[in-house]
Amino acid sequence: MIATCGSARRSLARAFADPDAGPVLLYVEGAAGLGKTHLLSELAGLPEAPDAARLWWRCGAGDGQQVADEPWGKPALLLVDDVHRADEDELRRLRRVLEGLEPGSAAAVAYRPEELPVPGLPLGGSAMAYPFRLTVLTHRLAPWDEERVRRAAADVLGESGGTAEAVGTLHERTGGVPRAVVDLLALLREQRPAFTGTAAEVAAAGVPTRLAELVLSRTYALSPAHRPLVWAAAVLDGTAARDELIAVSGLGTVPGSDALLRALESAALAEPGEGRYGFAVPLAAAAVRDTVPGPVRQDLHRRAAGVLSRRQPVAWTAVGEHHRAAGDDRRWLRAVEKAAESAAASGRHQEAIVLLERTLAAPGIPPQARARLAPLLARNAVTGLRSDQTVEVLAQIVQDADLPPAVRGELRLDLGLMLSNQMGRFADGWRVLEIAAAELREVRSVLAARAMAALVTPYWPGASLDVHRGWLIKAVAAADDSGDEAMRTAVLANQVGLAMSWADPEAWDLVERLPVQSTDPACVRQAARGLCNAADSAVWLGFYRRVDGLLAEGRELATRSGAPYTEHSASGTRLLQEWWTGQWLGLARRCEEFIADTADMPFLASDAYVVRGLLAVAQGDWGEARSWLSQRGTFGTENLPVPLGATAAGAVIRLTLARQEVADAAEQARAAWTVVAEKGVWPWAAELAPWAVEALARAGDTTGAQAMVRDFAQGLGAADAPAARAALVWSRAVLAENEALAQGKPSGLLAAAEAYRKAAAAYAELPRPYSQALTTECAGRCVLAADAVGEAGGADGVDRSGGADGADRADRADRADRADEAGGADRADEAGGADRADGTQAAGGETDGAGASEGAADGAGAHGSGASAAGGSAAPAGDRASTASAIAELESCAQHFTDLGAVWDATRARALLRTRQPAKKGRPPGRPSHSDQLSPREAEVAQLASSGLTNREIAATLHLSPRTVEQHIAGAMRKTGALSRRDLVHRL
C-alpha cells in the first residue's frame, strides 16, 4: 500500500553489483508514518543480492535477532529499524557493526529525525569513523502528493474515494503522511452509510487510533507548564507564528518561548513552514483538542478569535467559529455577517451561501440577527448558485411575524427569484413575486421595481405576452422613480429578453443601450445578464452568427462582476447553439459534464438535458432520448421554459409518430401547442410546429393542422425571426404533402417538394445543417412519391391502398429483402415507398400487415411514395430527371446525416434510397453471399437494434415487417457472436 521510490533500492544494489565493490550504508530518514519499516521490508527483497544474508536489527526491542560484531564472512544485507529508540549501549554496538562492514555487504538504517537524542546524528553524539571504502547515502522519505493520495483512495474506496473533493480534504488533513492516509481510509471504508466522496464525510471520520496515540503521548510527555502551547496549536487548527501561539496559550513571552522549544524537541509540534508551527499531521489537532478541559478550551478559543482578528485579511469565518466555541454568540453572528459580506464582495457567493444557511439553521438565532443575515443569504443565493436548503430556510423565515415589512418583502422577492429562475417552480415563484411587489411598493420602491422586472421575464409558462408587457410598464416607472442606476439596468436587461423573444424591431437597439462600460459592479452584473438574455433569444430566433459575440461579452462581464448563475445559464445557451449549428462532435459529453457540474441545480441544466435528448433521437437511442427529454425525472417538464418545453415536446411527438402511435402524438401536439399559444410568443413555436402539424394531419385532423399553420403565420406576422420563418415554410410543406396524398395528386406532391426545398434553403442560410437535411429528405421523398403515384395511374387512378393488400405487400417486401440478401436488390414496386423524416413509412410502403388506406385512417402511414404493384406507364423524360435529382438529394442527405452522427436518420434515408434501386434477379457472378459477414441490411438492422429500438420501430424505419427484422437480428448476432442486442454495438 505504501509505495516508495526506487532510489533506495538502486543505492543498496551497488554493494552487490561486483564482488570487489565497496560496502554501502544507507540512512533512511522519515518522520512517523512515512513508511520507513515498509521500505526496509521492500529492500529485504532486493533482487540484486539473492545470495546475501538478510539480518534484521530492531532497536529498543530487546528481543530482536542478534548480529555478531565480528566480520560475517559472506555477503550480508543488514536492515536496522527504529534507531531513534536505541540506548547508548545499543548505539555503541551498532556503530561497531557498521564500521566493520566489508565489501559485498550493505546496511540500511531507518530512524525518525524528530525523535533523535541528538538532532541530525542518528548514531549518537560523536562522529562516526566510517571505513575508507564505505559509501554513505541518505534517503529522505517524503509525504505523498495529492495524486498518490487519490490512487490510494481509489484502491480502498473505489470511485467514491477518488472524487476531487474527497482527495483534496484527505491530503490536507493527513499532510500526505502515508500511515495517516491509510488509517483514515480504513475508517471511511467501514463507515455506514457508505462513503459517498464528500469533504464533510472525511472531516467527520475522526482521528485514527495510531495517530491519536502518537500525538497524545508526545503532548502529555511535556510538563503541565508547557502543554498549553500545544493546546493553543490544537485550537488554532493550523500553522501559526510563534507570537500567535504564545498569545493564544496565555503564557508569557519567556515561558511561551520555552514551551515551544520543549514541544518541538518532543515532536509534539513541528515546523512545517519557515517560522510557522503546528502539527505534522493536521488531523492530529482534533485528538489533542478533545482532551483539553472545557473552561480552558473556551479561554483558548476566545484568545484565538482575538489573534485571528488581527491577521490581514481577516478570516472572519474562523473568527466566528472561535467566538461560538468560546460561548460568545453575539460576536459569532457579527463575524458570520462580516464573513458573508467579504465572500460576496470577492465573488465567492457559494461560500457565503453555505455559511449563512448553516448559521440560520442553528437554533436560537435572535430575531434581530435573522433580520440581518437572511437578506444577505437571499442576495447571495440569487446571484450565485443556491441549494434547495436556501429555499427552505427563506420560506420559513418569511413566515416570521417579527420581521420588519421591508425585510420580509426583500426576502420574499429573492425567494420568488430562486423559485422561478433556479428551481423551475414558475407558478410558485410568480405568486411570491406578485406578493413581494405589493409589499415593497411603499417601503422599498427600488426592490419593488426589481420584483416587477422579474415579472417581465416571458420564459415562464402561464402568463401571456400582454401580461408581461403590462409589468414592464410598471417596472420601468418604478425604476425611474427609484433613481437607482443598477435597478434601471436590471429592468433594461429583462426588457431586452422580452423584446427579443417576440422579435421586436427595437430589440437590438435595446441591447446597444446596456451599460457594458459601467464601473459599478452591480450595473455590470445586470448588463452581463442582459447580454446573455439577448444571446439566448438570438438562439431561439435563429440569429446564430450573432450569438458568439453576445455570449463572449456577457460571460466576460459575468466573470468580472461575480455572477456565476449568469455564467452557467450562458453555458446552456452555448449547448443549444452547438446543437442547431451542427457542432455535434463531443456535444453529448459536454452536455453530460454540464449536468454533472450543476447536479445540485438540475433546472439550470435543463438546456443540456434537452440537447442530450435531441442527440439521442438523431442517433436512434430512443429509450435514452425519452429519459433525457423528460429531464431524467429531476423536475416536471411542464415547468420548462416555454421555448425549451416546445422543443422537447416536438422531439417527443416525433418519437411517438415514429412508433406509429399517431393518436398519442396528436394529443401531445395539442397540449404543447396550447402552452405556446397561451404565451403568445410565436417564434417559440418553431421547433414544435412541423411535428405538431404532422401529428394532427396524420391523425386525420386536417382542420386542426390547418389552424395551427394559420395561427403560426398570423402570430409571426412580419417578425424578423429566421428560424420560425423556416419552420413555417416546413409546416406548410407538411400540410401540402398530406393534402396531396389524401387527394392522390402528383402535382400536389411536387408542390410540397418545392416548399420543402424552400425550407431547406432557409435553414441553410442560418445555418442549421440538421434541419436542412431533414427538409431536403422530405423534398426527395415527395418527388419519389409523386413518381410512384404517376406510375400507378395518376391522381384519378391511384390505388389509395398502395396497390395491394397491406399484408400481401409486406410479404412481397420481405421476399424482396431476402432476395437482396441473397444477391438481388430491393424492388421499388415490391419493397414499397418512401420513409418519412419522423421514421414512419410513407403510403405505398410496407406496413405491419395493414394497407395504406387503413394506415391513413389511423395515421400509421399517411405519406405515400411507393408504386402500385400493378405498375404503370413509363415516366416522361422530365419526370425521370426530377426523380434522378431527388435521388441525388437523398444520397447527399444520407451523407450529411452520417457526417453529423445522426445514425437513425442516415439509416432511414438509405432505406428510402433502396426503394428506388432497379430490380435484379439472382446474384451476379462473384458477388459475396454474406454467409460469414453482415450484409448491408443486417448491418443497418443491427445498428438500430444496438441503439435500443424495438423490432417494430426498426420495421417502421426500414419499411420491413417485424418478422424480417427479427430474422436479420438473429443473423447479425450469429455472425458477430453477440450475446444480446445491446452487445451488438461492441461487435459491429
Side-chain angles (χ1 to χ4, degrees):
M1 182 79 198
I2 302 176
T4 58
C5 62
S7 59
R9 184 187 300 273
R10 291 191 298 271
S11 299
L12 284 188
R14 295 175 188 163
F16 306 99
D18 188 287
D20 296 327
V24 174
L25 170 59
L26 176 67
Y27 289 114
V28 178
E29 176 181 297
L34 287 181
K36 298 177 299 300
T37 301
H38 185 86
L39 176 57
L40 291 182
S41 298
E42 284 190 346
L43 294 177
L46 194 69
E48 290 84 356
D51 300 325
R54 270 59 170 178
L55 305 174
W56 280 92
W57 186 333
R58 292 183 174 84
C59 297
D63 57 353
Q65 177 177 334
Q66 298 299 311
V67 179
D69 294 353
E70 61 274 4
W72 301 321
K74 63 177 181 178
L77 174 58
L78 176 61
L79 302 161
V80 185
D81 201 4
D82 293 338
V83 171
H84 52 279
R85 295 179 178 171
D87 57 22
E88 286 296 328
D89 288 341
E90 193 169 17
L91 283 176
R92 279 194 295 271
R93 185 162 176 264
L94 177 59
R95 288 162 66 99
R96 287 197 300 272
V97 169
L98 296 176
E99 289 170 352
L101 284 175
E102 296 183 350
S105 295
V109 178
Y111 60 91
R112 296 177 182 173
E114 72 273 21
E115 294 187 23
L116 291 175
V118 181
L121 295 175
L123 298 180
S126 59
M128 177 81 172
Y130 296 114
F132 174 72
R133 296 189 63 192
L134 179 67
T135 299
V136 183
L137 304 169
T138 300
H139 179 76
R140 292 183 175 85
L141 295 173
W144 284 346
D145 59 16
E146 196 163 313
E147 171 57 24
R148 186 62 188 86
V149 172
R150 186 197 65 75
R151 295 203 307 271
D155 288 344
V156 175
L157 302 174
E159 289 186 7
S160 65
T163 65
E165 180 182 357
V167 170
T169 306
L170 274 166
H171 185 260
E172 176 189 354
R173 300 303 292 157
T174 62
V177 174
R179 182 76 270 164
V181 173
V182 172
D183 288 350
L184 184 55
L185 287 173
L187 290 178
L188 295 172
R189 181 187 58 210
E190 299 303 320
Q191 77 171 27
R192 293 295 179 272
F195 181 68
T196 61
T198 66
E201 290 173 293
V202 176
V207 184
T209 300
R210 262 188 285 230
L211 176 61
E213 290 180 351
L214 176 66
V215 70
L216 291 176
S217 66
R218 290 174 172 179
T219 298
Y220 286 91
L222 294 169
S223 70
H226 296 147
R227 288 174 199 161
L229 193 114
V230 180
W231 293 346
V235 165
L236 283 170
D237 200 14
T239 63
R242 179 188 64 174
D243 292 344
E244 291 177 332
L245 277 176
I246 293 173
V248 174
S249 72
L251 302 173
T253 302
V254 174
S257 297
D258 184 53
L260 178 57
L261 289 174
R262 301 288 82 77
L264 293 170
E265 288 175 0
S266 70
L269 295 181
E271 187 180 8
E274 183 70 27
R276 307 290 296 180
Y277 305 97
F279 293 94
V281 179
L283 185 59
V288 175
R289 192 165 53 246
D290 289 345
T291 67
V292 180
V296 175
R297 188 171 60 250
Q298 284 192 313
D299 288 341
L300 290 166
H301 278 296
R302 177 177 53 79
R303 291 192 289 266
V307 165
L308 294 184
S309 297
R310 293 190 288 272
R311 287 183 179 177
Q312 292 300 324
V314 179
W316 286 112
T317 301
V319 170
E321 291 302 321
H322 285 299
H323 279 310
R324 188 183 191 189
D328 192 339
D329 287 351
R330 184 179 63 84
R331 286 191 170 90
W332 162 49
L333 293 172
R334 285 293 184 185
V336 166
E337 187 175 1
K338 291 180 179 179
E341 290 172 343
S342 175
S346 58
R348 294 176 285 115
H349 298 286
Q350 193 62 25
E351 180 182 323
I353 291 168
V354 171
L355 173 62
L356 290 166
E357 282 180 348
R358 187 171 65 240
T359 302
L360 286 167
I365 303 297
Q368 301 91 332
R370 290 168 69 87
R372 292 197 316 271
L373 297 178
L376 193 55
L377 169 62
R379 287 193 293 271
N380 277 280
V382 169
T383 305
L385 304 177
R386 36 97 350 251
S387 70
D388 294 342
Q389 184 179 348
T390 308
V391 172
E392 294 173 8
V393 169
L394 293 180
Q396 292 175 359
I397 293 176
V398 295
Q399 304 303 320
D400 188 347
D402 295 330
L403 283 177
V407 173
R408 185 184 300 106
E410 180 181 358
L411 293 179
R412 206 184 300 276
L413 162 63
D414 290 330
L415 176 60
L417 291 173
M418 281 184 282
L419 287 169
S420 302
N421 295 340
Q422 301 176 20
M423 300 286 288
R425 292 165 54 183
F426 297 118
D428 294 339
W430 183 274
R431 286 192 296 269
V432 171
L433 286 169
E434 284 186 317
I435 296 171
E439 279 183 331
L440 292 166
R441 185 177 292 115
E442 299 300 329
V443 293
R444 298 282 295 277
S445 61
V446 66
L447 293 182
R450 187 179 177 202
M452 295 171 188
L455 295 169
V456 172
T457 303
Y459 290 95
W460 311 335
S464 70
L465 180 60
D466 288 338
V467 171
H468 295 298
R469 286 169 173 160
W471 279 111
L472 175 61
I473 294 171
K474 297 177 182 179
V476 170
D480 288 342
D481 290 343
S482 73
D484 187 295
E485 193 59 36
M487 187 50 61
R488 288 196 185 100
T489 307
V491 173
L492 176 58
N494 285 12
Q495 186 179 3
V496 165
L498 180 64
M500 289 281 291
S501 69
W502 60 276
D504 184 343
E506 298 180 0
W508 293 107
D509 293 334
L510 292 173
V511 175
E512 294 299 322
R513 286 172 49 193
L514 290 168
V516 296
Q517 301 299 327
S518 175
T519 57
D520 180 357
C523 285
V524 172
R525 277 195 293 272
Q526 298 301 335
R529 192 169 60 82
L531 288 170
C532 291
N533 284 349
D536 190 67
S537 294
V539 164
W540 294 113
L541 292 174
F543 292 111
Y544 304 118
R545 292 182 176 90
R546 294 193 180 190
V547 171
D548 288 341
L550 291 169
L551 278 182
E553 187 174 11
R555 295 184 74 166
E556 191 276 327
L557 292 179
T559 302
R560 176 153 53 90
S561 60
Y565 177 81
T566 300
E567 289 185 72
H568 279 71
S569 64
S571 297
T573 301
R574 169 64 66 192
L575 296 174
L576 288 168
Q577 161 92 340
E578 291 174 348
W579 158 258
W580 275 310
T581 56
Q583 301 173 63
W584 290 13
L585 184 62
L587 182 55
R589 173 183 52 77
R590 292 193 291 278
C591 288
E592 292 174 19
E593 288 175 350
F594 184 59
I595 290 168
D597 290 343
T598 56
D600 292 337
M601 295 178 60
F603 178 71
L604 193 58
S606 54
D607 291 337
Y609 278 104
V610 170
V611 171
R612 186 63 184 84
L614 295 171
L615 284 168
V617 171
Q619 292 162 351
D621 197 350
W622 291 0
E624 282 293 291
R626 284 188 177 271
S627 176
W628 287 114
L629 291 169
S630 63
Q631 308 287 302
R632 296 215 154 182
T634 53
F635 62 90
T637 53
E638 69 277 3
N639 287 326
L640 281 173
V642 175
L644 199 61
T647 301
V652 170
I653 292 166
R654 185 185 180 196
L655 282 178
T656 309
L657 287 171
R659 287 179 164 138
Q660 302 189 35
E661 299 165 358
V662 181
D664 290 343
E667 285 305 309
Q668 294 164 354
R670 293 185 185 100
W673 193 260
T674 298
V675 174
V676 177
E678 288 178 349
K679 177 60 65 174
V681 181
W682 288 101
W684 290 348
E687 311 313 317
L688 170 64
W691 307 114
V693 171
E694 174 89 18
L696 265 62
R698 288 183 53 200
D701 186 3
T702 304
T703 301
Q706 290 171 339
M708 279 185 177
V709 174
R710 183 179 62 251
D711 292 346
F712 191 16
Q714 291 176 350
L716 278 181
D720 187 11
R725 296 222 160 272
L728 177 59
V729 177
W730 185 352
S731 301
R732 285 171 170 159
V734 170
L735 198 56
E737 182 183 8
N738 275 274
E739 291 174 351
L741 286 168
Q743 298 167 13
K745 290 184 177 180
S747 60
L749 287 168
L750 293 175
E754 188 58 31
Y756 279 125
R757 288 193 179 102
K758 289 180 180 178
Y763 282 121
E765 284 294 315
L766 294 180
R768 274 179 56 166
Y770 184 54
S771 300
Q772 177 190 356
L774 285 175
T775 46
T776 301
E777 179 195 359
C778 292
R781 181 186 69 219
C782 286
V783 172
L784 298 187
D787 180 45
V789 170
E791 290 177 3
D796 296 328
V798 64
D799 183 350
R800 294 290 300 282
S801 69
D805 175 78
D808 180 59
R809 187 171 64 254
D811 287 341
R812 285 188 287 106
D814 288 338
R815 288 197 300 273
D817 190 57
R818 289 192 293 273
D820 183 46
E821 297 302 332
D826 289 330
R827 295 185 55 179
D829 61 347
E830 290 185 342
D835 244 4
R836 301 178 48 88
D838 58 19
T840 61
Q841 77 184 78
E846 178 191 342
T847 63
D848 295 324
S853 58
E854 180 183 352
D858 65 9
H863 289 191
S865 64
S868 166
S873 59
D879 291 343
R880 288 198 299 272
S882 178
T883 300
S885 176
I887 291 173
E889 286 179 327
L890 288 169
E891 289 173 342
S892 176
C893 283
Q895 187 58 53
H896 286 156
F897 286 139
T898 300
D899 293 342
L900 283 170
V903 175
W904 175 43
D905 301 288
T907 303
R908 184 187 61 250
R910 286 194 296 268
L912 174 56
L913 281 166
R914 208 168 10 250
T915 66
R916 309 305 294 181
Q917 291 174 346
K920 294 182 181 180
K921 301 296 184 182
R923 176 165 57 88
R927 178 170 176 174
S929 66
H930 305 299
S931 59
D932 298 319
Q933 59 182 338
L934 295 184
S935 68
R937 179 72 77 162
E938 283 175 336
E940 285 180 341
V941 171
Q943 183 69 54
L944 294 175
S946 66
S947 296
L949 269 66
T950 65
N951 287 1
R952 182 178 178 84
E953 291 163 351
I954 297 170
T957 298
L958 300 179
H959 48 75
L960 299 172
S961 72
R963 180 184 61 190
T964 300
V965 171
E966 183 178 350
Q967 292 171 348
H968 285 319
I969 291 174
M973 291 177 64
R974 175 179 55 79
K975 292 178 182 180
T976 62
L979 302 177
S980 66
R981 292 166 70 100
R982 281 286 184 181
D983 189 36
L984 278 170
V985 72
H986 305 296
R987 309 280 185 163
L988 296 179

